[in-house]
Amino acid sequence: MSIDRVILFVGPPGSGKGTLSQKCVQELDWDKISTGDLCRQHIENQTEIGKSIDFAIKSGKLVSDGIVSQMVFEWFRDNENDSRVVILDGYPRTVSQAKTLDNLAETLGDSAEIIIAKFVIDDQAIVDRLENRYICKNKECQRVYSLKASSVLAPKKDMTCDNCDTELIKRKDDNSDAILERLKVYHLHENDLLSHCQKAGYEIREFESNLPIDQLFVKFKENMGE
Ligand SMILES: [Zn+2]
């Protein structure tokens, strides 16, 4: 395995994690995995993990921390990987997932470092962002856009993806009440999660993410020595 670095993206929904990781993939040739994508792949391939995820979703339950961690480790174990840097978007999400970071470090071997990138932005800015967020309907693409006036993330053609020409859609839960509810739950977990990571000795780097994405990308690159 040739991975030098795994960067764990931790931040509230709407803090720009997804867009930033997309840019890192496109412009720095990094690799990115998100637990949501892993879940979908397992369900599609009907693996044992996929079947338990499917069962959990159909019974209206959350996918357990154990399953999420197992998927992440298996990805690193099974993927012949040429990328120097891999971003994990949205993991760890809970203290119990964070407790398994040592196993991840073990899977990766001594030569790889684990860095936690924490994205900070105030709630009102997030509500503002998410209310204007649209995503590409194409499951293989899912590029994120903003319909906010003058945003650099605006699509070139009205309501159409620049990348694959598919229609843009709004997620049902991107409205202010639902967003504030999601943020409340998020903040509840974030403190515990980060204080656990700190105690366990993982390096945490903080990024103010209420910036246009291009500026955030420049700052992030600099900080990561790219
Ligand atoms: Zn698209």
Side-chain angles (χ1 to χ4, degrees):
M1 194 176 297
S2 63
I3 296 172
D4 297 330
R5 226 178 220 185
V6 175
I7 306 173
L8 308 164
F9 276 18
V10 174
S15 58
K17 300 189 309 277
T19 316
L20 182 66
S21 61
Q22 233 165 40
K23 264 187 115 57
C24 293
V25 170
Q26 283 161 5
E27 296 184 29
L28 303 175
D29 213 22
W30 292 3
D31 215 338
K32 169 203 134 166
I33 55 175
S34 80
T35 50
D37 292 343
L38 289 177
C39 284
R40 273 189 292 277
Q41 283 162 19
H42 276 280
I43 293 171
E44 258 170 45
N45 299 333
Q46 301 196 326
T47 62
E48 284 309 310
I49 291 181
K51 285 176 197 162
S52 4
I53 296 171
D54 206 28
F55 181 75
I57 293 172
K58 282 185 180 140
S59 348
K61 290 188 197 130
L62 289 174
V63 180
S64 75
D65 289 331
I67 288 181
V68 173
S69 298
Q70 197 188 340
M71 273 191 321
V72 171
F73 299 151
E74 287 191 0
W75 187 90
F76 281 103
R77 198 194 57 203
D78 299 341
N79 277 272
E80 280 299 320
N81 206 301
D82 293 331
S83 304
R84 293 171 302 121
V85 186
V86 177
I87 294 172
L88 257 172
D89 185 2
Y91 182 89
R93 206 183 292 271
T94 62
V95 172
S96 129
Q97 289 174 10
K99 283 181 179 158
T100 63
L101 284 180
D102 288 345
N103 305 1
L104 179 63
E106 216 170 281
T107 311
L108 290 168
D110 292 336
S111 56
E113 61 175 336
I114 293 180
I115 297 173
I116 294 165
K118 178 193 177 192
F119 297 95
V120 187
I121 178 171
D122 68 68
D123 286 2
Q124 196 45 51
I126 293 177
V127 170
D128 207 40
R129 263 188 192 184
L130 291 188
E131 282 195 317
N132 287 291
R133 177 167 84 168
Y134 282 75
I135 52 173
C136 173
K137 200 178 171 184
N138 176 1
K139 287 233 162 12
E140 302 294 313
C141 174
Q142 298 188 351
R143 194 178 277 195
V144 179
Y145 293 90
S146 171
L147 296 196
K148 211 171 166 175
S150 80
S151 169
V152 292
L153 293 177
K156 294 197 178 80
K157 268 192 280 172
D158 198 25
M159 293 303 281
T160 310
C161 178
D162 296 347
N163 187 38
C164 69
D165 231 24
T166 307
E167 177 195 359
L168 305 184
I169 52 167
K170 191 168 173 59
R171 279 176 45 168
K172 267 198 224 84
D173 51 356
D174 279 348
N175 66 69
S176 64
D177 285 350
I179 296 163
L180 287 171
E181 189 54 40
R182 256 145 77 202
L183 288 173
K184 213 165 80 189
V185 175
Y186 178 81
H187 291 308
L188 211 62
H189 288 111
E190 191 195 63
N191 284 346
D192 293 351
L193 170 66
L194 289 170
S195 68
H196 173 83
C197 291
Q198 206 152 27
K199 267 187 232 145
Y202 291 99
E203 189 187 344
I204 301 173
R205 301 188 189 178
E206 202 170 296
F207 299 91
E208 166 55 59
S209 68
N210 193 10
L211 290 173
I213 183 64
D214 290 333
Q215 285 176 35
L216 175 61
F217 183 53
V218 169
K219 289 215 161 139
F220 181 78
K221 266 198 305 196
E222 268 170 23
N223 181 288
M224 293 294 165
E226 292 284 331

